[in-house]
Amino acid sequence: MKRLDRDKLITAVGAPVLAVFAALVLTSLIILISGKDPFRAYQVMIEFGTTDRSAIYIVNKSTMFFLSALAVAIGFRMNLFNIGVDGQYRIAAFFAAAVGGALSLPGIIQIPLIILVAMGVGAIWAGIAGVLRTTRGVSEVITTIMLNSIAGAVIGYYLTAGRLGEKDGNLTHTPNIPSSSHIFMIETSVGDINGFVVFAVLAGFLYWFVLNRTRFGFDLRSVGQSETAAAASGVDVKRMIVTSMVLSGAVAGLVGMPTLLGESYNYGTDFPLGVGFTGIAIALLGRNHPVGIALGALLWAFLERTGTQLEFEGYDQKIVEVIKGIIVLCVVIAYEVVRRWALRDQQRRVGEELAQARKTEKAEVGA
């Protein structure tokens, strides 16, 4: 294996592995301090998390996490912090559900229409932050946080009986979308996998292809590394910022689709919340690479699934939340450790090559 490839592999894999290992050590200490057996806790998690039903749950749940992290990663590659994925996917799913519930078209037309509405709403919502960043210099962090609150308020206003919602017992939700618009399921011997996992895989491939095989992706990564250098080479930085936020929002619009088209068939007060914030942690853990993000999403879904079982074994279910928090903290620290190690190693190798070049030059002059 070439030296460059080995260094890339260590940098890409070393930080997440180091972070997860450190998180396990710290979590074990916390469990020991609480008087419980950490190895028994891990045994319970592994045994329950590897059952057939858990495997189906983990795959279906990780689809949402993967799409959320992918939306966050687009911003990260541009050095933008799209904290608003949570608001973007919720308001996108809400209006997509409202449109889907109001129409009764053939599925081949209505399913793409619902998805396009979700992507469009998400893109517009995120695009607001991009426009304010480029025209008024407002930080996208502040803007997207505020847009999260505004999205919640908008949904709360329209999700009432007499507007776009309807009462159903203690819940309020949009009208159900017709059965023709339900996403297909991949049947297995142990359960059904949400068909939207296919769209998630396709989105991950497009993300990788656009970033690594197109001029747009090259410009996007250039701006993320240095806006000044990118502008000097002719890249329209402002246009790239707005475009990146729009794309990030469009992908965020897909986050709620597995639930809307495959489980709930409406947007109600019980629709999943907080998936956008989970995506931030997973994007960090996966180093913004689609394969790393997919593994991070599976890990997060595994922890969420097995956390419920710990409670039945006498452990506090919140221990899983502690593990998640420690992983995020360790990721930040591990990345900095690995980055500094890689930088020192690179400087050492450059120094050795320069020294060797001088020796060769002196030998040639002496001859």
Side-chain angles (χ1 to χ4, degrees), residues 86-123:
D86 205 70
Q88 290 152 23
Y89 92 79
R90 284 190 289 126
I91 198 167
F94 171 72
F95 281 107
V99 171
L103 300 175
S104 182
L105 301 172
I108 195 170
I109 298 175
Q110 187 148 330
I111 290 177
L113 178 62
I114 292 172
I115 293 174
L116 287 175
V117 169
M119 294 181 71
V121 173

Side-chain angles (χ1 to χ4, degrees), residues 244-261:
S244 298
M245 288 301 293
V246 167
L247 287 176
S248 179
V251 176
L254 296 174
V255 174
M257 293 301 100
T259 301
L260 177 64
L261 299 176

